[in-house]
Amino acid sequence: DVKVTQSSRYLVKRTGEKVFLECVQDMDHENMFWYRQDPGLGLRLIYFSYDVKMKEKGDIPEGYSVSREKKERFSLILESASTNQTSMYLCASSFGLGKDEAFFGQGTRLTVV
Amino acid sequence: GENVEQHPSTLSVQEGDSAVIKCTYSDSASNYFPWYKQELGKRPQLIIDIRSNVGEKKDQRIAVTLNKTAKHFSLHITETQPEDSAVYFCAATNNNAGNMLTFGGGTRLMVKP
């Protein structure tokens, strides 16, 4: 059973803080994703990684960076949190190479005050 | 990059009726089209997918159709039940070019008993 685990379910941070959201998967998946979910806007891709130390910008990368130092871990970093980054953040992973189903973490609801 | 449009954004049906959700995509190179269901407070989970070499796929009460020429695909749910109430997301990707999954805006389906 694939497990994608996000480090926090709820997080409250202050404007200007540096915020780290962590995601770990236990199935040796090649691909990892960070999405942001807002009402009426669906799931918008922030960043995608297809291998260790490899990353690609998604649709809304501004204000975010990522780190993938190990295959199982993909971190999303908010360099200087702002109130418009208050949202639900979902991590996902997939094996790739024809096994394309994406498995999602439980989500982190981030509130920036 | 890929752009996925999904309609309608909300759909209300009577129990036992059918529900249809439609998506269009922009990148003719996309070849994998999954559908995810997200129940309230839970993570999105894959319910059915289709690849570009197939025009239709069925799994019990759900089916997906794909029209590559028109670049649209649809989810059909027959004999709807209250437990079908959820948000449904379509997505598209070219899994030969990095597997970056782009989602539609989501459809909130409500099945009235």
Side-chain angles (χ1 to χ4, degrees):
Chain A
D1 201 23
V2 176
K3 258 200 180 155
V4 181
T5 305
Q6 294 181 229
S7 52
S8 305
R9 193 73 196 262
Y10 300 96
L11 214 49
V12 180
K13 295 292 181 181
R14 295 194 180 279
T15 302
E17 273 194 83
K18 191 168 186 175
V19 182
F20 293 85
L21 302 183
E22 307 285 347
C23 176
V24 177
Q25 50 93 4
D26 66 356
M27 283 300 291
D28 203 35
H29 282 178
E30 302 290 329
N31 304 313
M32 296 190 75
F33 312 80
W34 274 107
Y35 289 93
R36 172 176 169 161
Q37 182 173 21
D38 299 289
L41 297 177
L43 298 165
R44 292 181 292 167
L45 183 64
I46 305 171
Y47 267 98
F48 162 62
S49 169
Y50 53 92
D51 200 352
V52 174
K53 296 191 188 295
M54 306 304 288
K55 62 186 179 186
E56 282 194 28
K57 292 181 180 179
D59 297 319
I60 50 165
E62 298 78 18
Y64 304 94
S65 62
V66 289
S67 171
R68 194 165 180 203
E69 296 296 319
K70 293 185 178 180
K71 192 174 187 180
E72 67 270 19
R73 187 180 297 271
F74 192 34
S75 303
L76 180 69
I77 304 153
L78 286 67
E79 297 289 343
S80 177
S82 64
T83 54
N84 62 12
Q85 292 178 309
T86 292
S87 187
M88 171 68 83
Y89 290 88
L90 285 165
C91 173
S93 71
S94 70
F95 191 79
L97 303 173
K99 297 178 185 177
D100 302 307
E101 179 179 356
F103 295 86
F104 283 84
Q106 77 276 26
T108 296
R109 182 162 295 283
L110 172 68
T111 303
V112 183
V113 297
Chain B
E2 176 66 278
N3 183 47
V4 179
E5 303 271 347
Q6 183 172 346
H7 299 280
S9 55
T10 59
L11 180 59
S12 182
V13 300
Q14 208 65 40
E15 182 177 359
D17 287 351
S18 295
V20 181
I21 302 169
K22 298 182 178 182
C23 289
T24 61
Y25 61 99
S26 62
D27 187 354
S28 56
S30 286
N31 58 3
Y32 175 67
F33 307 91
W35 287 87
Y36 284 79
K37 176 183 180 182
Q38 186 178 30
E39 296 176 359
L40 191 63
K42 297 193 175 178
R43 66 193 78 190
Q45 291 193 297
L46 180 74
I47 55 170
I48 195 168
D49 56 15
I50 191 167
R51 298 186 187 274
S52 58
N53 59 347
V54 173
E56 184 175 0
K57 185 177 179 181
K58 275 187 182 178
D59 183 3
Q60 299 181 350
R61 294 186 299 108
I62 60 173
V64 58
T65 59
L66 171 65
N67 183 327
K68 284 189 295 181
T69 304
K71 289 192 278 189
H72 66 69
F73 56 113
S74 301
L75 178 72
H76 304 252
I77 307 173
T78 58
E79 300 171 27
T80 53
Q81 300 166 4
E83 51 265 38
D84 294 330
S85 296
V87 178
Y88 292 81
F89 293 98
C90 63
T93 187
N94 176 1
N95 62 9
N96 293 321
N99 215 2
M100 195 183 298
L101 207 53
T102 300
F103 284 85
T107 297
R108 181 172 298 280
L109 173 64
M110 293 169 283
V111 180
K112 294 179 284 187

